[in-house]
């Protein structure tokens, strides 16, 4: 279950409560669900009860309890809990993560597009070109690259992108210290674009002396995560097995950062959960980037996804070790790695940055 699907489920519960006169409020157009602010609070959280309480003329805890009862037992939701003044915390069912991986792999290049009826947004046509943009007259390097990235994001962001494009809004950017040709000559196309897109609009562009091809460079780390996930598929084919979404099993003890000797440690579970959450929230990040005119949201999401991929990969090796034969958990882990690769490739495409097969 993705955040969008969970949002629709919660919205149906509100609509049902209104239709059956448990609540007297206008049904909101959409409901926001997002990862909780700290571990141990389920997979997602929503403040919908707090938002509706004033209109309903009832305490938020009462509204939350009405919705909790309606949501308990919903497909894909294992548990709904009320926290604090009326937050709803959702824990997804065991099959939700497997279903997410299936969805990402099934949609492929289209994953991240809320409205897929308008065709594929993926790595084809104009969106495949990762070369330098041609800046408009009197347009600075940063403005040109940001405008091009936003055009791609708008094209795949569904109604949010169409509304943002129709409004013709452009973020007020701190200018880059060099023109685009100078940056590309100094850094190369990919690094130049990353440097220009990474800062928030109000932040200055920090230009390195030279592009660094190591994991301390966020752009390299994202591309390396993609290349590593792609290589896993090649190695798996050489070993005679492919991917199949399923349970990824227990982590290798002591391999996950912060993990103790127990294979079922909280650190390992949180590592896996974080990776799944980043894959699930990718579509909402694209929508937010379009609405806020902020391609840096996509950049930061890709960085977080790459970091989560490496942490997960260390604890849940997708390939058998030594004389071990491929098992169902290896096929499932390979499928999860492929889902991560899909998100990284789609995001890099939107930014106009290459997804290299080898680094």
């Amino acid at each position: 279950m993705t955040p969008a699907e969970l949002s629709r489920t919660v919205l149906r519960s509100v609509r049902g409560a209104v239709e059956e006169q448990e609540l007297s409020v206008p049904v909101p157009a959409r409901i926001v669900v997002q990862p909780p602010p700290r571990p141990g609070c389920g997979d997602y959280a929503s403040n919908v009860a707090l938002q509706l309480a004033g209109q309903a003329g009832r305490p938020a805890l009462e509204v939350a309890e009405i919705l909790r009862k309606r949501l308990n037992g919903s497909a894909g939701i294992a548990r709904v809990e009320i926290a604090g003044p009326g937050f709803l915390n959702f824990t997804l069912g065991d099959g939700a993560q497997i279903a997410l991986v299936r969805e990402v792999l099934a949609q492929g290049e289209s994953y991240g597009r809320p409205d897929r009826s308008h065709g594929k947004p993926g790595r084809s046509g104009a969106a495949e070109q990762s070369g330098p943009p041609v800046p408009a007259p009197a347009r600075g390097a940063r403005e040109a690259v940001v405008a091009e990235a936003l055009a791609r994001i708008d094209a795949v962001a569904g109604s949010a992108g169409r509304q943002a494009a129709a409004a013709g809004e452009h973020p007020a950017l701190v200018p880059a210290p060099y023109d685009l040709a100078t940056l590309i000559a100094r850094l190369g196309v990919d690094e130049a674009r990353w440097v220009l897109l990474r800062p928030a609009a109000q932040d200055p562009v920090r230009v390195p002396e030279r592009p660094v091809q190591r994991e301390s460079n966020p752009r390299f780390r994202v591309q390396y995560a993609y290349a590593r996930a792609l290589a896993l598929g090649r190695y798996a084919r050489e070993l005679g097995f492919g991917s199949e979404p399923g349970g990824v099993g227990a982590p290798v003890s002591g391999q996950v950062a912060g993990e103790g000797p127990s294979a079922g440690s909280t650190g390992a579970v949180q590592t896996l959960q974080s990776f799944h959450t980043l894959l699930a929230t990718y579509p909402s990040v694209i929508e937010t980037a379009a609405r806020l005119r902020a391609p840096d949201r996509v950049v930061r999401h890709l960085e977080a996804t790459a970091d989560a991929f490496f942490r997960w990969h260390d604890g849940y090796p997708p390939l058998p070790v030594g004389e071990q034969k491929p098992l169902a958990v290896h096929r499932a882990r390979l499928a999860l790695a492929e889902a991560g690769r899909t998100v990284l490739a789609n995001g890099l495409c939107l930014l106009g940055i290459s997804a290299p097969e080898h680094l």
Side-chain angles (χ1 to χ4, degrees), residues 23 117 131 170 186 255 282 312 352:
L23 290 175
S117 63
H170 299 283
R186 176 171 170 177
Q255 294 301 307
Y282 172 74
W312 165 79

Side-chain angles (χ1 to χ4, degrees), residues 122-144:
R123 300 179 294 280
S124 59
E128 189 176 28
Q129 304 303 318
S130 59
V134 179
R139 176 180 284 185
R142 191 177 185 188
E143 289 80 0

Side-chain angles (χ1 to χ4, degrees), residues 335-346:
L336 181 52
E338 290 176 351
R341 185 192 75 202
T342 297
V343 167
L344 292 172
N346 290 357

Side-chain angles (χ1 to χ4, degrees), residues 8-334:
R8 290 192 290 270
T9 299
V10 178
L11 185 59
R12 284 195 295 270
S13 74
V14 173
R15 186 175 293 112
V18 171
E19 290 174 352
E20 296 181 19
Q21 299 183 352
E22 288 186 280
L23 290 175
S24 179
V25 295
V27 177
R30 62 191 294 267
I31 290 173
V32 175
V33 297
Q34 55 192 6
R38 58 185 179 277
C41 297
D43 297 304
Y44 296 100
S46 177
N47 64 350
V48 60
L50 296 167
Q51 293 177 334
L52 298 178
Q55 296 172 317
R58 303 172 71 169
L61 287 173
E62 286 187 13
V63 176
E65 179 60 21
I66 290 171
L67 298 179
R68 185 192 69 81
K69 289 179 178 178
R70 287 183 163 273
L71 288 162
N72 266 340
S74 298
I77 299 177
R79 188 169 63 254
V80 183
E81 298 174 307
I82 300 173
F87 292 100
L88 290 172
N89 291 342
F90 304 93
T91 299
L92 303 184
D94 292 338
Q97 294 178 340
I98 299 174
L100 169 66
V101 174
R102 289 189 187 280
E103 179 180 356
V104 175
L105 296 182
Q107 294 184 17
E109 294 180 2
S110 292
Y111 184 65
R113 182 172 192 147
D115 181 4
R116 292 180 295 279
S117 63
H118 288 77
K120 281 189 175 184
R123 300 179 294 280
S124 59
E128 189 176 28
Q129 304 303 318
S130 59
V134 179
R139 176 180 284 185
R142 191 177 185 188
E143 289 80 0
V145 172
V146 167
E148 185 192 1
L150 283 175
R152 293 178 177 179
I153 290 169
D154 290 343
V156 304
S159 59
R162 291 191 291 273
Q163 291 170 5
E169 297 177 359
H170 299 283
L173 302 168
V174 176
Y178 304 100
D179 62 44
L180 190 54
T182 300
L183 284 172
I184 291 173
R186 176 171 170 177
L187 303 175
V189 173
D190 284 351
E191 185 74 3
R193 294 179 69 84
W194 193 272
V195 163
L196 293 169
L197 292 169
R198 189 172 191 260
Q202 70 276 11
D203 294 334
V205 173
R206 303 187 184 280
V207 180
E209 287 297 323
R210 64 182 68 87
V212 178
Q213 294 293 90
R214 61 173 65 103
E215 291 186 31
S216 59
N217 180 346
R219 186 269 311 162
F220 174 84
R221 199 160 62 246
V222 170
Q223 291 179 316
Y224 180 50
Y226 170 82
R228 177 58 184 163
L230 195 64
L232 290 172
R234 292 197 299 268
Y235 298 148
R237 288 192 294 273
E238 292 175 3
L239 293 173
F241 76 98
S243 63
E244 177 60 37
V248 298
V252 177
S253 180
Q255 294 301 307
V256 179
E259 183 188 339
S262 169
S265 70
T266 301
V269 173
Q270 291 175 358
T271 295
L272 179 61
Q273 180 182 9
S274 173
F275 189 32
H276 275 109
T277 298
L278 286 161
L279 302 185
T281 53
Y282 172 74
S284 63
V285 168
I286 300 304
E287 182 180 354
T288 300
R291 180 166 46 84
L292 299 182
R293 318 310 290 152
D296 58 285
R297 298 292 186 106
V298 180
V299 174
R300 290 198 295 273
H301 193 83
L302 295 184
E303 291 179 7
T305 302
D307 291 343
F309 167 79
F310 286 121
R311 290 195 301 271
W312 165 79
H313 172 279
D314 291 343
Y316 298 81
L319 301 178
V321 179
E323 299 300 318
Q324 186 182 30
K325 293 183 179 180
L327 303 173
V329 293
H330 295 119
R331 291 191 289 273
R333 292 171 185 176
L334 183 62

